[in-house]
Amino acid sequence: MATSSYLHIALKAAGAAAEIHKRYFNNDAKVRAKSSHFNLLTQADLEAEQAIARIIKNEFPDHNIIGEENQYERTSSPYSWIVDPLDGTNNFAHGLPIFSVSIALAKDNEPIIGIVFDPMRDELFKAVKNEGAYLNDKKIKVSGSALLKQSLLITGFYYDRSRAMKRTLDDIYHFFSEGIIGLRRLGSAALDLCYVASGRADGFWEFLLNPWDFAAGSLILREAGGKITDFKGRAIRLDPTSVLASNGHIHDQMLEVLHR
Ligand code: IPD
Ligand code: CA
Ligand code: CA
């Protein structure tokens, strides 16, 4: 089947999820806690994932789905859809309009399609492997900043408040000691990666992310000319991992700081 048919379904699924988000945003999103009181879940997370899974299963019943909120029966297909129905739930639950829907299709564990949709700004980031990355049909590329001193960085805090938190706070101090322009914590890792891809930021790191947080964004970033590795500089796989993403030019400088 042509990649365009897969992309068409990915876009349809993201559109359906976005409608659900718009309906619930600021309007009784029925918030409850997941593993801890600061890891939230809303009705929008659940309904959006159901809508996405329904659309995918309807078209490609033999494909795998790896979603954040539900377990799906594994199939022998080489194709897997990796879905974060709402990336940025804590923002969403507080009425802060920074969140996204992230959908990737991987073949043999390698993303071949990635889309990240921000329904509040109507910004659709998308990439097909070897075909470049786009924001609303306009080609995007990473920034040209070659020095950490010229860089605006983004980070994220995993839900762990012990070792990962301490490590991230130390890293922040070390990056500021290098004279970075600034640091942001936006709350949607999928969007963070797209912002590096489109040159809005120069680098991003987070101690531990799940495949649904980065599968789509990693392809978009690479297709925009950026680089993504773990904190040891190794290629990332679709497993939970630390993530360092950059415009490529400052990657080694960021790795060096993360090793302190
Ligand atoms: C979270 C967001 C956040 C990141 C967390 C993720 P969720 O995803 O991407 O920016 O810092 O590590 O878990 O829970 O809103 O889907
Ligand atoms: Ca997420
Ligand atoms: Ca989520």
Side-chain angles (χ1 to χ4, degrees):
M1 182 161 307
T3 314
S4 57
S5 324
Y6 298 135
L7 182 61
H8 175 73
I9 294 305
L11 293 171
K12 185 175 167 186
E19 284 313 308
I20 291 165
H21 296 339
K22 284 196 253 184
R23 178 145 42 86
Y24 281 112
F25 186 60
N26 270 334
N27 186 19
D28 187 20
K30 284 203 201 115
V31 181
R32 60 179 199 259
K34 276 210 284 200
S35 52
S36 56
H37 75 275
F38 43 78
N39 185 357
L40 304 179
L41 180 71
T42 72
Q43 193 61 19
D45 294 81
L46 299 171
E47 281 188 31
E49 186 165 313
Q50 276 164 12
I52 293 168
R54 201 178 312 118
I55 289 168
I56 293 171
K57 276 286 169 205
N58 199 27
E59 293 293 326
F60 310 114
D62 62 316
H63 286 189
N64 287 293
I65 299 181
I66 299 160
E68 181 175 9
E69 308 303 345
N70 274 303
Q71 300 277 348
Y72 303 85
E73 212 174 297
R74 294 295 290 187
T75 74
S76 57
S77 167
Y79 290 97
S80 296
W81 294 83
I82 301 141
V83 176
D84 192 334
L86 174 47
D87 187 50
T89 297
N90 285 3
N91 285 347
F92 184 91
H94 287 84
L96 182 60
I98 305 175
F99 54 86
S100 61
V101 182
S102 176
I103 302 177
L105 174 63
K107 185 174 182 212
D108 296 323
N109 288 319
E110 206 183 308
I112 56 170
I113 284 175
I115 63 172
V116 175
F117 184 42
D118 170 354
M120 293 288 108
R121 282 164 204 77
D122 227 347
E123 289 194 331
L124 174 72
F125 294 90
K126 72 168 183 245
V128 171
K129 196 174 171 206
N130 299 327
E131 292 183 18
Y134 293 82
L135 164 53
N136 291 348
D137 298 324
K138 197 162 167 245
K139 206 158 187 178
I140 51 172
K141 65 177 173 59
V142 292
S143 70
S145 309
L147 294 174
L148 260 185
K149 273 191 170 49
Q150 301 167 335
S151 299
L152 180 66
L153 303 183
I154 306 177
T155 192
F157 303 108
Y158 184 64
Y159 290 109
D160 174 291
R161 297 265 165 107
S162 51
R163 200 171 72 90
M165 173 62 83
K166 166 89 175 65
R167 170 87 197 261
T168 305
L169 293 174
D170 288 347
D171 293 338
I172 290 173
Y173 177 74
H174 291 139
F175 277 116
F176 274 110
S177 305
E178 289 297 311
I180 57 166
I181 298 237
L183 176 76
R184 304 290 179 261
R185 195 290 192 246
L186 302 174
S188 164
L191 278 180
D192 296 337
L193 291 168
C194 293
Y195 287 2
V196 177
S198 54
R200 291 175 179 174
D202 308 298
F204 161 73
W205 85 98
E206 183 159 347
F207 194 82
L208 185 60
L209 287 175
N210 283 303
W212 45 80
D213 298 312
F214 64 78
S218 66
L219 181 66
I220 293 166
L221 175 74
R222 277 195 294 262
E223 288 295 322
K227 186 166 177 179
I228 184 163
T229 65
D230 67 10
F231 285 2
K232 293 203 165 126
R234 298 175 301 206
I236 52 166
R237 299 146 50 88
L238 294 174
D239 292 319
T241 178
S242 60
V243 169
L244 168 59
S246 77
N247 62 6
H249 314 300
I250 60 165
H251 208 85
D252 288 348
Q253 295 165 63
M254 288 188 75
L255 266 179
E256 202 262 307
V257 172
L258 291 172
H259 282 163
R260 272 179 209 167

